[in-house]
Structures are given as structure tokens and as C-alpha cells.
Amino acid sequence: MEILAPSGDEKSFFAAINNGADAIYLGLGNFNARAKSTFFTTENIREYIKIAHTFGVKVYITTNTLLKNSEIPAFLEFAKKCVEARADAFIIQDLAVAKIFREAFSGVELHASTQMGINNVAGAKVAKSLGFTRVVLARETKLEDIEAIKRETGLEIEYFVQGALCVSYSGNCYLSAHEFQKSGNRGECMQPCRLPYTAKLNGNTVGRGYLLSPRDLSLIENLAELKAAGVDSLKIEGRLRRAGYVAQSVLSYRHAVDTLENNQKIDINSEKYALKKVFSRGEFNTRAYLDSGVPNGVINPKIQNHLGIEVGMVEKVENFKDLYKVTLKSTHHIHEGDGLKFLDSNENEYASLGVGNVESLDNSRYIIYTKSKLKPRLAVYLTLDSENEEKLLENKRKIGVNARVIAHENQPLKIEFFTTKNGAKIAGEFISNFVCEKAKNAPTSSSEILAQISKLNETYFVLNNAEIEAESVFIPKSIINEARRNAIESLQQNLINLHEKLIKSALNQQKYSTMQQFLGSLENLHSTEISNNIYIIDENSINKIATTNNEDIVALAPAVYTKNVVKNALENIQKIRKNTALVLPVIANENDYKILQNLVSNLPPKTALIINNISGLDFVKSGHEIIAGTEMNVYNNLDEAELRRLGVAAVISSKEIAAASPTRYNFTSGHLALMHFAHCPFKTLFNNDCAQCRFSPNLTLEAQNGHRYFIARKRISQCYFTLYSTTKRDRPLPRGNVIDLRFD
């Protein structure tokens, strides 16, 4: 299984390579889902890709943001530079981005981003039909569904195994955009999910804390199951994390994969301990969403940032000049540069600090000095093991090479370095302009030649063996050094060439000018004018549609997706209005999808379907008119054109933007759905299980700034939940309104 590492800067890039990554994913500029990750550019990316390809490490570029119309021409030029830099693949969320790559470039490898929300066979099949060779599955994908996707599609499967979890389904969240006008879907997430909230049920407070903050993920003990299910790539989250985190995460998974492949046992507890040191929000989530049903323990209400590992306790605090002299008892040897966190008896964070001067009293007691007024009996947690991280970052990945030197009289000096790759010899040689002459005094010895050709410290290579054929000739050291440098450069280039022979992507010059013309005409793209509106109701609010226009569409978004509920509700709606639709959910595992298939096959013929996931495109062949819903994140005219090509009749714009053209539907009135959960917030609050269900329809969350949200439940084969804003959007447009009546 491939170990896929994150990188946000040069240090993390080399940390990934040097500790055993097989592939690296990174973003450039504004066209990726981590807008703060700005180190890599179109100017420097080729050099870093060459370094990775020297080691046979792949580089995947994250072009997984959503594009505005005005950004599409610039993105095309950006994509051209990335393809020319010989990136191995591109990770994509926006259908417009996928279309640009398919149209303008040939042979490009496309990976469907986790933000596409693919977690069932239908979604994976749609992705495959669009030219994707790999799917980065939603983190909520069940183990049994991973197996089905692999079996039914044969696609490469990438799955998150380590790092932070988004509380919202597959990272598709609108809370940051709603609160701060910073779109999480465009790489600007402000992480309001990590803030504290107060939960109220029927007006009574039932919980406080970080109620939207998930535990960190760690599936290192489940790799055998993931491999058996068909996972090809183990993805580590963290492009904005420090290099020490990247190094340890890659190293731990390198150990785990290698021992698994060799049928050996690994000390999992030791690896988890090391992983917790570099970043963990308390105890890891070690199963996440792999098992059937609604998972337990997804949220950690007490911790929202790095906690590390508990190592001891504060024994004594004394005044010392303008500081405090603190005596600690610790199982960890405290070093200067370490990071410490202190928690009180209620596990609340009391203080954090970096260690400066430290005195060791014995093997378990230490004195540190701080401006923080600590107190005895505080628990001490290690958040940064400076000595360990320094060692991790000192690791160097080297390619072992052999050398052959020929220094015969009256012949040019020749040096060859070679290694093996996949059983084949890869060599680089240099024949000098210097012609070896018989030494007049002391000839250059084989040991002197060996000393010079061994000087590879500044390269990515290390000399294993050397064969030196040197007659009684004299060769200046500068000549040997020059030959060594050139031969090694030749070997490195040949290794890069060997890797890049497998990359087929190239500019499609025949289509490129046509593509440019097509992009220039985007503003003129339009479809049939829409004069009616869409009203969304559930099975309990049918009485609210009496005042709607006869031509309007009444769309059922049921709280319970069963055959009887849907059938009865639609029959009652059709007594009042002729134009009806069924809203399909954002999340549907394989069992859910089979239920939806059965519902759709029994719908009245003229009932439209509003889809909110790429898997919904599978229903185009059902004969029902398809409308792309808000969760499809239609951001530009090219998205709309692509969806229409795929058989969609109309689209609703993303909730994050105003109408890009007057012919789209726009969400204009009702409560905004900001997040969708595959975990149960009631389990978080009451620590119950499904057998003792504590659901109530009146659960609200209140932020510290006073903003309130309510939570609604949806049931298919299992329960899902949606966080809604309590404030209503009310932005009427001339036509094409989408009005949500469910929660009036």
C-alpha cells in the first residue's frame, strides 16, 4: 500500500521523502483546498518534483477547489504549468476542473477528491466514467463499502488513515462561509467547528464544550483490514502541520506497512505513542466510520487542539525573581525546546509553554522556569519532543550506488555510477576531456580516487562499492571531482527519466486553442429560462404549499426515507400540485443507496429528482428529470454545462455564491444547511447507544458570540444529522427561487 504524505513547505517535503513516503500531495497558490499553503509555486514546483522523482516518489497536486467563472482562464494556464512540471496526478473536486484537464491535456491522471463525497459504488462508477483513475473516498465510507467499490469498479482507492477529521461529511462545510465569509470549499476554512458551543434541548442546557470538534484519526492498527478491502493508498492528513508531524506519521506507517508486507508483528502501542506526541486531540479515533451503523466517540467535547501525551505532574511552584520556578515529576526526560501543556483535575487546559532553561534533579524530576503561574498537582502533557523531532528531521534518504572508474594511460577519464531499479540497471556516466597521462612522479592511487568519488554527502546518493582501474597515471583532484559531479547528475537525470516515462500527461495542442476559445465564451453560456420556483417540504409540512403557484415544483425532502413515507407524501402533494420532486440526501452508504434505488423505481413517472451527491448522476438513466442540488456546489457556467452534458435538466447554484447566470435556480429563502453529520450528536451529549436513543427534534447549539443553530435528523438505513442556521436567508430573485418551507 502506498504511503501518501502531506506537504506544505520545503521542510515537510523532505521530511516525507526522508522518512519513507511513496507519494506526496501538495497544493500551489490559490487553486487548492489549503489557501494558506503557499510555499509551492508554478515557478519552483518542477525542481521539487525532480527531487521526488529521483527517489521514485510520486507528486500529486491538489487542484481541489471550486472555481468562479472569472478564474477559469487563469486556472487553465496554471494547469498547463503543472502538467509541464510532470506532476504524477491531480486531485479534483470541481467538475469544471476535471473537464478542463480532460479537454486540454491528454493522458492526465485524475483523482477524485474526498470533497466529492464518494462513499458508494454508484458514485465511484460516475467518477470512473468521468475519467478518474482513483477515488479519495469520503472518510465516512464503511469498510464493507470500500470492498464493494473496489470489486465493482477496479479503481485505485485512497483512504485517510491519520490526522484531523472534518465533522462535516467529507469536508463539505458551509459554516465558515456563513460565519466569516471564508469558504471551506475554497481553502479558506476558519475552523468554527473547533470553537466551544452550548447545547440546549427544549431550551434546557444539556451540554457544553467543543461539541463539533472530532477526535483525530489513527487507523494504523487496521491496515490489514484496509488492505483486504482494497485500499491502495494510505493518506495522511496535514498539509499545514509542522515537519516533525509529517516525519513521524510517515515513519510510523512505513514501519506498519513494511511489517505487514513481511508478515511480521509491529509494536502498535509504541507507534501510537509516537504519533500522539506529534499531534493528537486526546485519545485517537481508531475505528472512525469503518463499522456498520452510527459510530460512537467521534467528538471529543473537552479537547479541540493538540494534547500530546501525559508524562507527569507539577510537584512544587516557587517565586523566582519575576518568574516561577516549577518542579515537575515526569516520565519523559525534559529538554530545552520541548512543549508542555498543563491540565487541571477536570481535564481543562490551564497553560501551555515552551521549555527554556531546564535543570535535571534526577531521572524523573526537573526544574523549569516560566512566567505562567502554575500550581501543584496540575497534570503535565508533552506536546513537543524536541530531541525526537530533531532526530526525525536529520534522517536522510539515500540511494545506494556502485561506481566504476577507468583511468588508463592516453585515454580520457571515465566515471560511471549505477544502481538497480525494479531489477534493471540504471547508470550515469561521464567521460572527461582530461586525457590521463603517465605520472612523472607519484601516480594517483586507487585510494585517492576512491576518496574523491565517495564525496556524495551533498547529493541524494551514497557509495556502496567501487571498481577502480587506474594505471600509473596522475589525475588532479579537481578533475576527479568534476567527473564525479557530472556522472552523478547524469544518474539522477536518468532516474528521473525512468520515473517520468510512466507519466503520460501532455498538452493537447490540437484542442488547446479550441479550449481557450471555449473558455472565452463562458459568459454566453445559458440554458432555457426558468420562470417557476422550487419549494422544499417534508412529510409533515405539506399544508404549507397551498399558496404556491401551479407551475412551481414542490420537492419532498423527507425526514424518513421509506417507501410508505415517500409514496404517501407524494400522493398528497400531487393532489395539490402537478410538478413534484424528491430530494435525494447528501450522504448515502451502499445500504442507503439500495433503499434510494428502490424508492426511485417506484416514483410516479413525472417526479423529478434533486441530487446532492455525484452518485445521484447514476439516476440519469432512471427516466426521471434530474436537478443538481445545492450540495453539488455548482460554482461556474462550465459546471452547469458539464452537468447538462451528463443529463441534468437544471441546476441550483452553490449556497456560497450569488447567481452566476439568471437561468439557474438559487437558494433564496429558508434555513441554510451548514453541515451534514454521519455521527450522532445525541451520543456525544448523553453517551448513549442506538438501543437507548435520546433523539429529540429540538436540539440547538449556541456559540459564544450568541449565534444559534438547530440540528435535524434524517433516516435511511441509519441516522444522519444536519446543522442548520437559525437565521433565514431571504433574498428573492425574479425567478428560479429555491424556498425551504420545512422549518418555518
Side-chain angles (χ1 to χ4, degrees):
M1 291 183 288
E2 173 185 270
I3 296 171
L4 176 56
S7 178
D9 59 23
E10 184 175 69
K11 284 186 73 175
S12 60
F13 179 86
F14 281 104
I17 288 177
N18 289 331
N19 286 281
D22 299 302
I24 294 172
Y25 67 102
L26 52 84
L28 287 70
N30 295 324
F31 297 121
N32 76 97
R34 290 290 184 273
K36 294 178 183 177
S37 181
T38 58
F39 175 81
F40 298 106
T41 67
T42 52
E43 285 71 39
N44 67 21
I45 189 59
R46 174 57 185 159
E47 291 308 308
Y48 287 99
I49 287 177
K50 284 167 64 177
I51 294 167
H53 288 174
T54 299
F55 293 95
V57 173
K58 295 182 178 182
V59 176
Y60 307 142
I61 294 182
T62 57
T63 52
N64 57 338
T65 188
L66 300 170
L67 299 181
K68 295 179 180 178
N69 277 340
S70 59
E71 296 169 331
I72 292 178
F75 178 82
L76 179 60
E77 293 301 323
F78 167 85
K80 177 175 178 286
K81 291 178 181 178
C82 292
V83 168
E84 290 173 344
R86 311 306 289 143
D88 292 270
F90 297 88
I91 303 172
I92 294 169
Q93 175 190 187
D94 195 332
L95 292 178
V97 173
K99 184 174 179 65
I100 289 170
F101 274 112
R102 289 198 314 272
E103 291 288 329
F105 307 96
S106 60
V108 69
E109 186 171 327
L110 306 181
H111 296 177
S113 170
T114 188
Q115 289 174 282
M116 277 192 169
I118 297 172
N119 73 324
N120 58 38
V121 172
K125 284 183 175 179
V126 171
K128 187 174 183 177
S129 73
L130 293 173
F132 290 96
T133 58
R134 175 183 290 195
V135 286
V136 188
L137 293 179
R139 289 169 234 205
E140 295 81 359
T141 309
K142 305 292 184 189
L143 191 66
E144 61 186 358
D145 294 345
I146 296 174
E147 187 177 354
I149 291 167
K150 186 68 175 182
R151 183 178 63 250
E152 297 295 326
T153 69
L155 288 167
E156 289 184 6
I157 292 179
E158 187 176 304
Y159 198 69
F160 279 94
V161 292
Q162 186 70 36
L165 281 170
C166 280
V167 64
S168 187
Y169 175 68
S170 210
N172 201 343
C173 176
Y174 305 91
L175 185 58
S176 180
H178 178 71
E179 288 291 341
F180 303 106
Q181 292 73 56
K182 298 287 186 180
S183 168
N185 292 301
R186 284 171 52 82
E188 302 171 321
C189 183
M190 298 294 288
Q191 293 195 303
C193 55
R194 301 297 183 186
L195 298 176
Y197 292 87
T198 298
K200 294 186 177 181
L201 197 56
N202 298 311
N204 299 315
T205 298
V206 292
R208 287 190 174 91
Y210 303 107
L211 301 177
L212 296 176
S213 180
R215 300 176 189 274
D216 277 11
L217 178 70
S218 186
L219 300 183
I220 193 166
E221 62 192 74
N222 304 301
L223 299 192
E225 287 180 276
L226 294 174
K227 181 181 179 181
V231 172
D232 300 282
S233 178
L234 305 172
K235 188 167 194 170
I236 299 166
E237 181 275 338
R239 284 196 284 134
L240 298 180
R241 297 273 178 87
R242 68 182 189 270
Y245 162 87
V246 174
Q248 184 62 66
S249 298
V250 170
L251 189 62
S252 288
Y253 279 87
R254 180 80 277 152
H255 289 163
V257 169
D258 289 349
T259 53
L260 178 64
E261 295 294 335
N262 294 320
N263 294 315
Q264 297 172 339
K265 289 187 177 181
I266 187 171
D267 186 350
I268 285 293
N269 289 332
S270 176
E271 297 298 346
K272 286 169 69 175
Y273 182 86
L275 289 166
K276 284 181 71 174
K277 274 198 299 186
V278 290
F279 201 93
S280 63
R281 293 178 171 91
E283 292 300 318
F284 282 134
N285 189 337
T286 59
R287 293 298 294 178
Y289 300 92
L290 289 175
D291 302 319
S292 60
V294 181
N296 300 322
V298 170
I299 303 296
N300 186 347
K302 292 186 176 182
I303 302 294
Q304 60 84 31
N305 57 14
H306 180 31
L307 181 63
I309 54 172
E310 187 172 4
V311 294
M313 184 172 289
V314 175
E315 283 192 343
K316 186 167 60 173
V317 180
E318 305 169 86
N319 290 324
F320 181 81
K321 298 180 181 180
D322 60 343
L323 301 173
Y324 294 97
K325 179 181 177 181
V326 181
T327 304
L328 308 175
K329 187 174 179 63
S330 173
T331 56
H332 168 77
H333 184 69
I334 304 294
H335 300 90
E336 182 179 346
D338 284 352
L340 300 178
K341 182 169 287 189
F342 301 86
L343 271 63
D344 63 21
S345 58
N346 294 317
E347 296 185 334
N348 296 313
E349 184 176 334
Y350 191 87
S352 295
L353 58 86
V355 176
N357 292 333
V358 57
E359 300 171 18
S360 178
L361 299 178
D362 53 41
N363 288 331
S364 63
R365 296 171 68 245
Y366 305 87
I367 292 175
I368 63 171
Y369 299 87
T370 176
K371 290 184 178 181
S372 299
K373 188 177 181 180
L374 303 178
K375 60 184 182 180
R377 304 201 65 76
L378 288 174
V380 181
Y381 283 75
L382 179 70
T383 57
L384 173 61
D385 183 344
S386 58
E387 186 178 60
N388 182 60
E389 292 205 10
E390 284 175 10
K391 289 179 180 177
L392 286 169
L393 297 180
E394 288 171 357
N395 288 341
K396 300 297 180 186
R397 188 171 179 177
K398 295 282 189 175
I399 299 171
V401 296
N402 297 323
R404 186 164 183 251
V405 180
I406 299 176
H408 292 168
E409 185 179 341
N410 298 323
Q411 292 184 19
L413 173 67
K414 178 181 177 181
I415 295 182
E416 179 189 50
F417 287 103
F418 58 93
T419 186
T420 56
K421 188 80 172 177
N422 299 325
K425 176 183 175 181
I426 309 298
E429 71 172 19
F430 181 72
I431 300 175
S432 175
N433 291 326
F434 178 84
V435 176
C436 301
E437 295 181 357
K438 188 175 181 64
K440 294 178 180 179
N441 296 307
T444 303
S445 67
S446 294
S447 61
E448 288 175 314
I449 295 173
L450 178 63
Q452 298 309 310
I453 66 171
S454 299
K455 292 180 177 180
L456 300 176
N457 287 344
E458 301 303 315
T459 74
Y460 305 116
F461 303 91
V462 62
L463 184 64
N464 291 334
N465 297 292
E467 178 186 343
I468 300 172
E469 297 179 19
E471 297 175 349
S472 297
V473 296
F474 173 76
I475 313 167
K477 289 181 180 179
S478 61
I479 297 297
I480 301 173
N481 290 338
E482 179 193 25
R484 180 199 70 232
R485 287 192 296 269
N486 283 286
I488 278 292
E489 287 176 5
S490 174
L491 173 60
Q492 182 176 0
Q493 188 58 57
N494 287 337
L495 285 169
I496 293 168
N497 294 342
L498 178 70
H499 180 97
E500 293 181 353
K501 283 179 182 178
L502 303 176
I503 300 174
K504 299 178 181 178
S505 59
L507 175 67
N508 189 330
Q509 295 181 346
Q510 185 176 2
K511 281 192 173 182
Y512 192 73
S513 59
T514 306
M515 192 68 179
Q516 289 276 33
Q517 294 170 3
F518 176 61
L519 295 179
S521 67
L522 278 177
E523 293 182 3
N524 299 321
L525 276 176
H526 61 85
S527 49
T528 306
E529 290 189 358
I530 297 171
S531 58
N532 56 341
N533 298 318
I534 297 175
Y535 288 87
I536 300 176
I537 62 168
D538 61 19
E539 61 268 40
N540 300 312
S541 55
I542 295 174
N543 61 322
K544 296 179 181 179
I545 64 175
T547 58
T548 60
N549 188 290
N550 283 333
E551 297 303 312
D552 289 335
I553 298 172
V554 177
L556 174 68
V560 181
Y561 280 84
T562 64
K563 185 175 179 180
N564 287 338
V565 167
V566 171
K567 179 176 179 293
N568 292 337
L570 284 175
E571 286 178 351
N572 288 329
I573 294 168
Q574 289 169 351
K575 292 176 183 176
I576 308 171
R577 294 288 177 265
K578 63 178 182 179
N579 294 327
T580 58
L582 175 66
V583 180
L584 297 181
V586 177
I587 314 174
N589 62 36
E590 197 61 25
N591 287 332
D592 298 327
Y593 193 76
K594 290 174 182 176
I595 292 171
L596 297 176
Q597 283 180 309
N598 186 46
L599 290 178
V600 169
S601 66
N602 287 283
L603 290 177
K606 293 187 178 181
T607 304
L609 297 175
I610 299 178
I611 63 172
N612 286 291
N613 185 289
I614 189 174
S615 62
L617 291 169
D618 187 53
F619 286 114
V620 167
K621 57 193 176 188
S622 70
H624 295 275
E625 184 177 82
I626 305 296
I627 300 171
T630 55
E631 312 296 319
M632 294 292 287
N633 278 323
V634 176
Y635 239 76
N636 54 65
N637 295 83
L638 191 52
D639 281 336
E640 180 174 4
E642 181 69 350
L643 284 166
R644 289 185 175 278
R645 181 187 72 82
L646 295 170
V648 171
V651 299
I652 305 170
S653 295
S654 171
K655 290 173 284 192
E656 292 186 342
I657 62 171
S661 78
T663 58
R664 288 192 178 136
Y665 284 108
N666 287 271
F667 188 95
T668 58
S669 181
H671 299 278
L672 279 171
L674 302 173
M675 291 181 173
H676 303 280
F677 307 145
H679 77 277
C680 175
F682 295 90
K683 288 185 175 184
T684 300
L685 291 168
F686 303 115
N687 199 30
N688 61 293
D689 58 24
C690 292
Q692 288 82 39
C693 180
R694 296 290 298 272
F695 171 74
S696 171
N698 301 310
L699 178 63
T700 62
L701 297 183
E702 185 173 320
Q704 288 182 316
N705 62 6
H707 291 190
R708 294 173 61 247
Y709 313 90
F710 66 90
I711 293 176
R713 182 179 69 170
K714 193 177 297 296
R715 291 176 60 193
I716 317 175
S717 71
Q718 66 176 64
C719 296
Y720 300 99
F721 298 85
T722 302
L723 183 80
Y724 287 90
S725 170
T726 54
T727 57
K728 289 179 63 178
R729 176 178 287 191
D730 191 8
R731 184 169 54 88
L733 296 172
R735 59 185 180 275
N737 294 298
V738 177
I739 301 110
D740 194 333
L741 297 175
R742 288 174 296 174
F743 307 110
D744 284 357

